[in-house]
Amino acid sequence: MNDIAIAIADEDVPLAAGQIRFYCAAEPPLQAGSYWLQAQQTVDGLKADVKGNSFGVQTPFLVSGPRFQLPSQDLQLVYPPANMVGNYEESLPHVVLRTRTLPWVRSIDGNTNNAGDNDGTTPPWIGLLTLYPDELKGATPQVITVAQLIDPGDPSILGPTLIDADTLSADELASQLLAIDLDLAAFLALAPSLAELPLLAHVREVNTDQKEVLGMVEDGWFSVAVGNRLPRSGCDNSCFLVSLEGQQAHLHGGPAIAAQYKTIRLVCLATWKFTAAGPRGSFLDYMQNLCGQGGVDLMQPTHRPFPAVLSGAEKTAVEALQIGYIPLQNVTRSGEVTTSWYRGPLSPVPTKADPLGPYFFSDRAIRYDPANGLFNMSYASAWQIGQLLGLSDAAFASSLFQWRINSYQAALSAVASDHLHGLADQFQQPRAGVTPVLLAVLSRVAGQAVSIAPLKAHERRDEDLLPGVVPDWEERIAAGEDALHLLHQHVRKPN
């Protein structure tokens, strides 16, 4: 785990690598909503009537911002991670947003004159709710329209009170959003109060140097919305990032709500699930188990208890966990998402040398178990990690590149030399059906002086009838004429 230094210095002091600075809030100068721009000018002495000396103009404009939907690029990450099982029972769920002003980009009551002074007293318009399975009562997010949000059409459903509902256009009312109807009693029990909301959002300034990019905002500014409830161990916990605009009177500690309402309708901006599993033991238990399995139990992922009677597949899974394997999701080259086994190089368990290497690329090191249909990515991951570590060293990467270039050049030189020597050896022996002129041409192309044995008289009969025969070629080549030029000038066509 990387150490994080918390900077308490002046905000004008740049952050060093690994430092983080916290702010109560980052409220925009203008919150999202409708405004009027008004300008007025008075010219003294222009007219006798003072009122006629004043000139003015006003025009409306709109400050836009997320309201019923949250753009995907605004969500940096969620914690605990979605669909994961881990020891999260002592961690407050939270979401990290890429826009520092997003929790305060609009007001919870819809008014646009609530801009504060960034002292953390202005309540954000979003909140993070954590619900247990028995509280959900089967409720799931559903796609509805803005009109259905404002007027649910059911007298038992409590919707938000939006002060600009009458001014929304037909297109805005018909636009879709994701909403969830929660049990009103459960919502009132777990929802924060209006006074608590400012404490559940803050801004972080992070120095992102020496960190993996992963789509991270380069300037290092993030806003964070934190839940007000710890997860329940041993079950699925559902998190909902919801809009609280128009719900300020429905929060915990607010005025009484009419008895006719049984559920409350909330705009769902983001949602995910995770499972909180209790720790397998205390620190003392971990230390006492070091001798039992060589410490491998410390590296096992948190998991739910296994049944007393295991099937064949369950026995395989338990055995894999006991020797340090963990199941991880990976994406294959074909785009298929699958689950594979992985074990790191530091697992304190006996291993055997891999007899199938060396490998020229990582995919060659993937193992497949046809009995359970799972891949083992351990060797492939080790190969890829080793390559990346090597290439991250500039000196090593440069030396490796130069070694490859030299090896290629040496191999090419050896092949070319062997080929030319082979040609030279062939040129030394006259071959039947090959004229001396052609041998001289090949000798010139090869770049070597080749001695050609003169043909005997009986081998040159009827040479005038053969194409490409050059008269007196031996004397003319000996005099220094170029063999290719002779061949070009004296090619004869057959009769």
Side-chain angles (χ1 to χ4, degrees):
M1 180 180 296
N2 296 329
D3 294 333
I4 298 179
I6 301 178
I8 314 181
D10 183 63
E11 63 183 70
D12 295 330
V13 178
L15 293 176
Q19 287 187 329
I20 180 173
R21 183 182 286 131
F22 294 89
Y23 298 85
C24 294
E27 301 173 22
L30 289 178
Q31 292 179 320
S34 299
Y35 294 85
W36 285 90
L37 178 63
Q38 183 175 359
Q40 187 172 4
Q41 183 181 19
T42 301
V43 181
D44 294 336
L46 183 63
K47 295 181 181 180
D49 186 1
V50 178
K51 296 181 179 180
N53 296 333
S54 297
F55 305 89
V57 64
Q58 61 179 4
T59 180
F61 68 94
L62 177 69
V63 177
S64 62
R67 187 176 191 181
F68 301 119
Q69 293 181 353
L70 183 66
S72 58
Q73 65 269 18
D74 282 347
L75 187 63
Q76 176 69 27
L77 59 86
V78 299
Y79 187 88
N83 304 318
M84 294 297 290
V85 179
N87 185 19
Y88 306 127
E89 62 177 5
E90 297 181 357
S91 301
L92 285 174
H94 58 271
V95 296
V96 179
L97 306 167
R98 297 186 181 183
T99 304
R100 74 179 87 174
T101 59
L102 197 149
W104 305 274
V105 76
R106 61 178 62 253
S107 62
I108 190 172
D109 59 5
N111 293 317
T112 57
N113 57 354
N114 292 338
D117 55 3
N118 291 330
D119 61 354
T121 59
T122 302
W125 66 283
I126 59 176
L128 184 60
L129 306 178
T130 304
L131 283 89
Y132 308 144
D134 56 328
E135 298 170 335
L136 278 176
K137 297 182 179 180
T140 57
Q142 297 181 351
V143 177
I144 63 172
T145 63
V146 175
Q148 292 172 320
L149 171 71
I150 299 173
D151 182 11
D154 186 338
S156 65
I157 300 178
L158 177 62
T161 304
L162 304 180
I163 63 174
D164 62 341
D166 296 336
T167 63
L168 296 177
S169 65
D171 290 340
E172 290 175 324
L173 292 174
S175 60
Q176 294 183 331
L177 55 88
L178 197 65
I180 185 170
D181 295 337
L182 296 178
D183 179 75
L184 182 58
F187 173 80
L188 293 175
L190 65 93
S193 65
L194 191 61
E196 293 172 343
L197 273 180
L199 305 176
L200 299 176
H202 64 270
V203 176
R204 298 179 185 178
E205 181 188 6
V206 182
N207 187 307
T208 57
D209 294 345
Q210 303 178 4
K211 291 183 179 293
E212 191 174 359
V213 179
L214 292 177
M216 188 179 296
V217 181
E218 293 182 0
D219 61 8
W221 285 91
F222 305 92
S223 57
V224 181
V226 185
N228 66 333
R229 193 187 202 191
L230 291 173
R232 177 185 291 176
S233 179
C235 69
D236 291 336
N237 295 265
S238 300
C239 293
F240 302 95
L241 182 66
V242 299
S243 168
L244 298 176
E245 182 186 6
Q247 305 281 13
Q248 67 276 5
H250 308 150
L251 297 176
H252 180 78
I257 299 176
Q260 70 183 65
Y261 297 112
K262 304 301 180 184
T263 60
I264 183 170
R265 178 161 292 182
L266 300 168
V267 176
C268 187
L269 303 173
T271 179
W272 79 98
K273 290 183 179 182
F274 65 93
T275 301
R280 294 187 299 275
S282 64
F283 177 78
L284 179 61
D285 295 329
Y286 284 135
M287 294 301 100
Q288 291 176 341
N289 287 333
L290 282 177
C291 300
Q293 297 185 23
V296 69
D297 187 60
L298 295 175
M299 312 185 78
Q300 292 184 18
T302 303
H303 54 79
R304 299 174 181 173
F306 290 103
V309 180
L310 301 176
S311 64
E314 290 172 337
K315 290 180 180 178
T316 302
V318 172
E319 181 182 359
L321 291 173
Q322 289 176 346
I323 59 176
Y325 282 99
I326 58 174
L328 294 178
Q329 283 191 344
N330 66 284
V331 181
T332 64
R333 291 188 182 273
S334 61
E336 179 185 3
V337 179
T338 183
T339 299
S340 303
W341 288 113
Y342 172 76
R343 183 171 65 182
L346 301 181
S347 299
V349 293
T351 58
K352 296 180 180 179
D354 181 18
L356 303 178
Y359 307 104
F360 295 101
F361 49 89
S362 59
D363 283 3
R364 284 287 185 90
I366 296 177
R367 298 289 182 266
Y368 178 71
D369 187 354
N372 53 41
L374 290 179
F375 290 100
N376 183 350
M377 309 297 292
S378 302
Y379 284 117
S381 299
W383 191 100
Q384 191 66 54
I385 293 173
Q387 182 193 56
L388 294 176
L389 288 175
L391 296 180
S392 65
D393 186 330
F396 174 81
S398 177
S399 300
L400 178 63
F401 180 76
Q402 190 60 46
W403 173 79
R404 293 182 63 181
I405 293 297
N406 294 339
S407 298
Y408 286 140
Q409 290 177 346
L412 291 175
S413 298
V415 171
S417 177
D418 292 343
H419 182 63
L420 291 177
H421 283 301
L423 288 176
D425 292 341
Q426 295 176 16
F427 294 160
Q428 300 296 332
Q429 303 295 331
R431 299 176 62 184
V434 181
T435 64
V437 174
L438 183 57
L439 293 177
V441 171
L442 295 177
S443 177
R444 180 175 179 270
V445 173
Q448 301 184 29
V450 178
S451 60
I452 302 177
L455 296 177
K456 297 180 180 179
H458 69 275
E459 292 177 328
R460 298 182 61 183
R461 59 180 180 270
D462 300 327
E463 65 177 7
D464 292 338
L465 301 179
L466 300 176
V469 175
V470 182
D472 303 323
W473 65 271
E474 293 173 324
E475 292 80 9
R476 298 176 68 174
I477 290 178
E481 293 192 48
D482 187 79
L484 287 176
H485 179 72
L486 289 176
L487 184 62
H488 176 72
Q489 294 292 331
H490 297 281
V491 172
R492 299 181 180 179
K493 297 181 179 180
N495 295 331

